[in-house]
């Protein structure tokens, strides 16, 4: 129990502790975003879409604190898709996060990073396992937000992370292509690589 309290205190204070050393910038994050006159709002989902998401679940996905396995949900999507879509739509419609409280919990495990002292909490990272049903709801929200960003052309062309058909490989291909083009033009490439690390 004492170890759990130490981890809880350490990780809950990381944000405020890091924020103390952050200097206020003159620019706002909105300066780097494209504007749009189109507002976003969530749409209700359908039982058919919930059925398709349940059917695609990996049987080996971690169960989470509710103890309803992905294997069980995958076996009977036709029996539960209607009920789940009603719960999901109530939450989307009201924006109040209406859902069973158990769906909002996560099983959190500190994982040692294989470097540094084991008794130092900063040498651990947290792994959170949420209920499988919550993952399905997350996917519904993600798909709607992502579709909006794509349709309104709000994502940077240089954004490779967290995008379908994009990865560190596509980011590197774009960079090396740009460097090769500069070399062909007789220009010099200057590259700065930054690695961010949390330190408290």
């Amino acid at each position: 129990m004492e170890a759990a309290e130490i981890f809880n205190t350490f990780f809950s204070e990381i944000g405020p502790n890091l924020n103390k050393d952050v200097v206020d910038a003159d620019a706002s994050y909105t300066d780097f975003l494209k504007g749009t006159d189109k507002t976003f709002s969530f749409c209700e989902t359908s039982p058919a879409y919930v059925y398709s998401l349940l059917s695609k679940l990996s049987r080996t996905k971690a169960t989470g604190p509710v103890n309803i396995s992905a294997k069980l949900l995958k076996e009977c999507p036709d029996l539960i898709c209607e009920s789940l879509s009603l719960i999901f739509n109530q939450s989307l419609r009201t924006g109040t996060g209406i859902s069973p409280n158990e769906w909002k919990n996560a099983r959190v495990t500190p994982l040692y990073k294989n470097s540094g002292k084991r008794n130092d909490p900063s040498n651990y990272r947290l792994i959170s396992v949420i209920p499988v049903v919550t993952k399905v709801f997350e996917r519904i929200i993600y798909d709607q937000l992502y579709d909006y960003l794509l349709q309104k052309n709000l994502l940077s062309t240089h954004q490779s992370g967290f995008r379908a058909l994009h990865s560190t490989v596509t980011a590197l291909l774009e960079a090396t292509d740009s460097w090769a083009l500069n070399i062909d033009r007789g220009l010099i490439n200057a590259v700065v690589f930054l690695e961010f690390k949390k330190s408290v």
Side-chain angles (χ1 to χ4, degrees), residues 7 10 15 23 31 56 80 83-84 87 91 106 118 132 142 166-167 174 176 182 200:
F7 279 117
F10 175 78
V23 179
D31 298 337
K56 294 174 188 171
I80 58 175
S83 300
L84 286 179
I87 296 171
S91 187
R118 283 188 173 270
V132 179
Y142 167 85
H166 289 72
S167 66
E174 182 181 2
T176 52
N182 286 340
V200 182

Side-chain angles (χ1 to χ4, degrees), residues 12-39:
S12 64
E13 293 177 354
I14 283 179
N17 287 341
L18 290 175
N19 192 48
K20 287 188 295 191
D21 298 326
V22 175
V23 179
D24 288 337
D26 295 331
S28 167
Y29 71 92
T30 55
D31 298 337
F32 304 96
L33 299 175
K34 297 178 187 175
T36 179
D37 58 350
K38 305 294 183 184
T39 57

